[in-house]
Amino acid sequence: MFALVDVNNMYVSCVRVFRPSLIGRPVVVLSNNDGACIARSNEAKDLGVKMAQPWFQVRHLEREAGLIALSANFELYGDMSSRMMSLVGECAPRQEVYSIDECFLDFDGVPGDLVAIGREMRAKVLRWTGLPISVGIGPTKTLAKLANHVAKMAERKPGSYDARLAQVGQLGHVGHRDVQAVFRATEVGDVRGVGRRMSARLNKGGIRTVLDLVHADVVTLRKQFSVVLEKTVLELRGTVCMDVDHEPATQQQMMCSRSFGAAVTDLPELVEVVSQFAIRVAEKARQQAAAAGSVQVFITTSPFRKNDRQHSRSVTVPLVRPSADTRVIVAAAVRAVQQMYRAGFNYAKAGVMLVDLHPREQQQGELDLFGSSAQGRAALGTESPRLMEAIDTLNRRLGRGAVTVASAQHQPRHDQHAGRQLRRSPRYTTRLEEIVTAKA
Amino acid sequence: MRIAGNAMREAGIDSGDLVLVDRAIPPSTGHVVIAVVDDEFVCRQLSRQGDDLRLQATQAGCADIVAREGDAFEIWGVVTQVIKAMPV
């Protein structure tokens, strides 16, 4: 059995832990340069604020409905994420961190009532970190993801699904009447991997609900759509096609992480591996025409080496403007490692994650805007899409790593990473001068 | 968290001190806790009188904050350590 665990409205929830006055009020979080809504509280969703909607379109709700807008604070989200992930990871033999706020758990071989385990996990994460999570459990990843969607909707909109599925939901036996009822009540577009365009085409062919999809002929679906959709349908029927770790990159985050063959103890070596991860993930971003607003890096020792002293940290570096430039990403990652590293530990794993992803076209427009000023041109000097294109071509032809950066030597000035954030919330958990004050 | 105010002086917590707050400890009476009262963080000692949970200051003159039905406060975490700044 698999579980998909994620944090409800992650970015908003992180701030609410330290600012209780925001609980119950409509809150949105804006992207790095305060352009678009990248997270919404349930109350903001109920006001009709859409994902990625430009701020200027909903700004009027500030006065009319008490909407509160905050700038992104990826340093806070990254730190809260690693707290949540480490707690959740203790609950199952295998964990795949899928993005900043979601992970899959593989409960293979775990006896007992998984729903009860899920409820305990939820209570513990809420108590220890303050973050509300939803847990979806199912025999395949696709069913776990669907169960997670159902768990969230059952809580947010009572009546939409069986109340017993709220917060922690299980879609266990596909043939069961309760599961069939969920399938009937869910539109195909809510299934992971079925995009808006595909669901429109499916609807045209008479496939509207998940139940329709499950009963459709897979061979026809593969011919008309893709092997991926075929796999999705098989997974909805309970056949495992996707194991933990076999994941296409999500649209919101990209990650490159790995356990080291041998423990790494010194800084130059750690900088080197993390640079490699950063290079890989920057390349991935360019392949998907995406640019990252922030770079999150973690390093950790191995909890399985009981005799080792343990150290595990994660740091998020915001970028001035979204970038997929290897040099910018590597420089940010190296800075993060230098900040986190402590001598005398056997580091076993590290990772680089690009968060706050933007499509590259959008970024081009902003670059042109900046390009008209002298300051903009100077900043442009650090960014070079054509150079990156050339590097990617060479690496494809000559093999990965043929052309790379001398990472440790590349140190950008600190002010390049400041980011333009007017409504940023304090970094409550990572900066001593920004911690919460309590009255006595 | 940083403390502002002198209501907990007898417990060894002065204004300006830093306190370590552990959310993993289940709060019980006698603990110095951080509670959320009217959307604000407040540092007090947790006590019980009859059926009422109370937040008590150690300084005289501060009224207890009482949790009654429909008007409950949330215990955010338990204070485990105090860090003081020395004059330098």
Side-chain angles (χ1 to χ4, degrees):
Chain A
M1 285 295 235
F2 296 96
L4 179 78
V5 179
D6 72 353
V7 179
N8 302 346
N9 313 324
M10 169 78 173
Y11 300 167
V12 174
S13 295
C14 286
V15 184
R16 280 178 168 172
V17 174
F18 302 96
R19 225 171 117 181
S21 62
L22 294 181
I23 295 169
R25 301 177 67 179
V27 181
V28 292
V29 172
L30 304 177
S31 57
N32 250 346
N33 30 27
D34 290 350
C37 303
I38 54 171
R40 306 157 295 157
S41 72
N42 286 346
E43 297 80 7
K45 289 175 190 172
D46 291 342
L47 283 178
V49 179
K50 299 274 176 280
M51 194 59 185
Q53 193 166 9
W55 169 236
F56 71 85
Q57 287 183 3
V58 292
R59 175 172 227 148
H60 62 99
L61 292 172
E62 229 178 354
R63 231 180 316 154
E64 290 164 17
L67 180 66
I68 296 159
L70 304 167
S71 291
N73 184 349
F74 285 100
E75 193 164 322
L76 174 66
Y77 313 146
D79 186 58
M80 294 300 281
S81 167
S82 47
R83 293 173 187 212
M84 183 276 291
M85 290 297 177
S86 68
L87 276 179
V88 168
E90 289 170 3
C91 299
R94 284 207 294 166
Q95 177 188 32
E96 177 196 346
V97 176
Y98 185 60
S99 71
I100 194 163
D101 69 337
E102 30 173 13
C103 68
F104 281 103
L105 296 176
D106 183 354
F107 280 111
D108 195 26
V110 176
D113 179 358
L114 291 183
V115 173
I117 292 175
R119 292 206 185 279
E120 246 169 68
M121 175 166 71
R122 186 182 192 280
K124 186 175 183 180
V125 171
L126 185 60
R127 179 64 219 152
W128 289 33
T129 69
L131 298 176
I133 59 173
S134 294
V135 183
I137 304 164
T140 66
K141 280 178 137 183
T142 305
L143 281 167
K145 175 79 182 173
L146 186 63
N148 180 287
H149 168 78
V150 170
K152 257 199 220 90
M153 293 313 287
E155 183 183 14
R156 202 184 135 204
K157 296 198 168 144
S160 60
Y161 292 102
D162 190 333
R164 286 170 300 172
L165 294 168
Q167 297 182 343
V168 179
Q170 180 169 18
L171 297 177
H173 304 286
V174 177
H176 196 280
R177 211 181 331 130
D178 293 349
V179 177
Q180 299 281 313
V182 166
F183 283 177
R184 197 173 299 122
T186 310
E187 290 174 24
V188 281
D190 290 331
V191 173
R192 153 198 173 81
V194 179
R196 202 180 305 161
R197 205 172 295 168
M198 190 185 279
S199 60
R201 274 179 67 198
L202 285 167
N203 287 349
K204 223 177 254 174
I207 299 173
R208 297 187 174 279
T209 68
V210 178
L211 194 66
D212 297 335
L213 187 61
V214 168
H215 287 148
D217 178 41
V218 281
V219 180
T220 317
L221 286 179
R222 181 183 40 201
K223 277 189 199 139
Q224 285 182 358
F225 293 91
S226 64
V227 185
V228 180
L229 184 63
E230 182 194 12
K231 278 189 180 162
T232 301
V233 172
L234 289 175
E235 283 233 320
L236 285 171
R237 291 178 184 171
T239 309
V240 175
C241 301
M242 286 179 270
D243 194 11
V244 158
D245 273 334
H246 277 281
E247 275 314 310
T250 51
Q251 291 306 310
Q252 280 181 307
Q253 292 91 11
M254 289 180 192
M255 162 106 139
C256 179
S257 93
R258 214 167 307 147
S259 298
F260 310 142
V264 171
T265 52
D266 71 346
L267 182 59
E269 214 181 321
L270 198 59
V271 163
E272 197 183 311
V273 267
V274 167
S275 302
Q276 278 163 14
F277 294 165
I279 290 166
R280 281 283 312 272
V281 80
E283 204 178 280
K284 228 190 257 182
R286 292 197 296 274
Q287 275 168 13
Q288 305 205 6
S294 292
V295 181
Q296 191 192 336
V297 185
F298 74 85
I299 55 174
T300 179
T301 51
S302 168
F304 300 109
R305 295 171 59 136
K306 299 278 182 218
N307 294 328
D308 278 10
R309 292 198 303 144
Q310 300 292 319
H311 180 225
S312 133
R313 268 202 71 188
S314 145
V315 157
T316 305
V317 181
L319 303 176
V320 160
R321 66 167 60 84
S323 176
D325 189 305
T326 295
R327 296 163 305 164
V328 175
I329 306 288
V330 168
V334 167
R335 221 165 59 90
V337 170
Q338 287 170 334
Q339 196 184 325
M340 293 186 286
Y341 170 82
R342 277 161 53 190
F345 289 92
N346 292 322
Y347 291 103
K349 190 176 180 184
V352 177
M353 184 167 8
L354 301 184
V355 290
D356 185 22
L357 290 187
H358 306 257
R360 201 106 61 86
E361 302 85 72
Q362 185 188 330
Q363 185 213 357
Q364 285 296 347
E366 285 171 24
L367 282 179
D368 290 340
L369 208 69
F370 272 104
S372 56
S373 74
Q375 189 200 359
R377 268 194 298 278
L380 271 175
T382 64
E383 194 98 5
S384 173
R386 283 186 58 204
L387 174 61
M388 290 303 122
E389 209 176 275
I391 290 176
D392 288 344
T393 309
L394 281 170
N395 281 339
R396 263 197 306 276
R397 219 175 284 162
L398 304 173
R400 177 168 281 144
V403 182
T404 186
V405 292
S407 66
Q409 290 164 13
H410 191 80
Q411 293 293 309
R413 289 196 325 276
H414 186 263
D415 58 2
Q416 286 192 318
H417 287 277
R420 203 190 110 214
Q421 300 185 318
L422 302 175
R423 303 157 181 266
R424 206 201 66 224
S425 44
R427 292 162 292 189
Y428 299 107
T429 61
T430 50
R431 305 284 166 135
L432 192 57
E433 62 280 12
E434 295 180 21
I435 62 172
V436 162
T437 296
K439 283 200 303 191
Chain B
M1 290 191 178
R2 194 172 291 283
I3 298 297
N6 291 310
M8 294 302 288
R9 202 179 256 174
E10 293 299 306
I13 303 174
D14 295 306
S15 196
D17 286 356
L18 287 174
V19 293
L20 272 185
V21 184
D22 192 337
R23 290 183 56 110
I25 298 174
S28 64
T29 51
H31 281 158
V32 172
V33 299
I34 299 293
V36 180
V37 180
D38 295 332
D39 289 342
E40 286 194 68
F41 293 108
V42 179
C43 182
R44 288 287 189 275
Q45 187 159 34
L46 190 63
S47 75
R48 181 180 289 277
Q49 275 183 10
D51 283 343
D52 286 343
L53 268 185
R54 284 167 182 267
L55 295 172
Q56 288 183 319
T58 60
Q59 283 313 90
C62 292
D64 291 357
I65 301 163
V66 185
R68 291 201 189 84
E69 235 173 294
D71 182 30
F73 49 75
E74 183 207 343
I75 306 294
W76 196 89
V78 176
V79 174
T80 58
Q81 317 267 334
V82 187
I83 303 168
K84 294 184 176 295
M86 302 306 287
V88 282

